[in-house]
Amino acid sequence: MEITADQLSTAFGDTLYMVAISLVFSGLIGLPLGILLVITRKGHILENKWIFNVLNPVINILRSVPFIILLVALIPFTRMIVGSAIGTNAAIVPLIFYAAPYIARLVENSLLEVDKGIIEAAQAMGATTWQIIYRFLIPEGLSSLILTFTTATIGLVGSTAMAGAVGAGGVGDLALAYGYQRFDTMTMVVTVAALVIIVQLLQSTGNFISRKIRRR
């Protein structure tokens, strides 16, 4: 195997860094968008067909763009934001654009599972729109939201591997540079195993937290 333990450790850290930063920013964008999709739909607490009919297709369009295309299409914007289109920080920009609409749709699906009776009861008690969202809608959907963000995080791990195609760093970059281009089978096996371990840990952690919340 051509790579060293230090290289593998650095790549592992780069992957976690890209996933963590991308998840924070895409969550900050996707969560409000998902809530907006729910509350503005027909029959919900803030029904607004104009907002819903604009937001809904926009999110569908953004979700339709394959990540590798988005990665290339956003190069000018990425360069403007971080000063370069290559590297770990540069990969974070398209990762956010890719994950935010994905999270919005997953959040929407999670919150639609909340019993409408709970929302109606909150309205009957005179709760404001904001109070219904943060005291009833989000707490009731929290268990499902944990799984939503777990799924989004795993999706980001896969995307960081693709970002290795443009020198983003991380485990995917290592797999391409050494495993694929230099025909180093052992490196490919190790990097794939590393990605599998990351995904398994994330999924197990998400399932555990979700179960804990559901049993409360």
Side-chain angles (χ1 to χ4, degrees), residues 27 38 44 48 66 71 73 95 100 103 119 124 145 147 170 189-191 216:
V38 171
H44 221 283
N48 187 314
L71 194 67
L95 283 171
I103 289 176
I119 306 299
L145 284 173
L147 294 178
V189 170
V190 169
T191 50
R216 284 180 183 174

Side-chain angles (χ1 to χ4, degrees), residues 39-116:
I39 64 174
T40 57
R41 68 174 45 241
K42 187 176 181 181
H44 221 283
I45 57 174
L46 205 64
E47 179 180 335
N48 187 314
K49 66 178 182 180
W50 297 108
I51 293 177
F52 182 81
N53 289 337
V54 169
L55 193 57
N56 194 44
V58 167
I59 287 176
N60 281 343
I61 291 168
L62 290 174
R63 283 192 60 209
S64 317
V65 182
F67 178 68
I68 197 71
I69 303 265
L70 195 64
L71 194 67
V72 175
L74 287 176
I75 282 177
F77 182 72
T78 301
R79 192 175 284 123
M80 185 178 73
I81 297 295
V82 299
S84 172
I86 298 173
T88 305
N89 287 328
I92 291 173
V93 176
L95 283 171
I96 293 170
F97 272 83
Y98 175 72
Y102 182 52
I103 289 176
R105 189 61 74 193
L106 290 175
V107 167
E108 179 197 20
N109 292 336
S110 294
L111 295 183
L112 285 176
E113 293 175 4
V114 176
D115 189 349
K116 285 187 177 178

Side-chain angles (χ1 to χ4, degrees), residues 115-187:
D115 189 349
K116 285 187 177 178
I118 293 172
I119 306 299
E120 290 168 0
Q123 288 176 307
M125 288 188 290
T128 63
T129 300
W130 176 242
Q131 288 171 331
I132 291 173
I133 292 170
Y134 83 90
R135 287 189 177 176
F136 297 92
L137 194 60
I138 292 178
E140 287 297 323
L142 190 57
S143 174
S144 182
L145 284 173
I146 295 295
L147 294 178
T148 284
F149 276 90
T150 302
T151 302
T153 307
I154 291 171
L156 278 170
V157 172
S159 300
T160 60
M162 281 191 279
V166 293
V171 177
D173 191 25
L174 208 60
L176 284 170
Y178 288 84
Y180 179 68
Q181 294 172 356
R182 300 186 186 183
F183 305 104
D184 184 347
T185 305
M186 183 54 72
T187 296

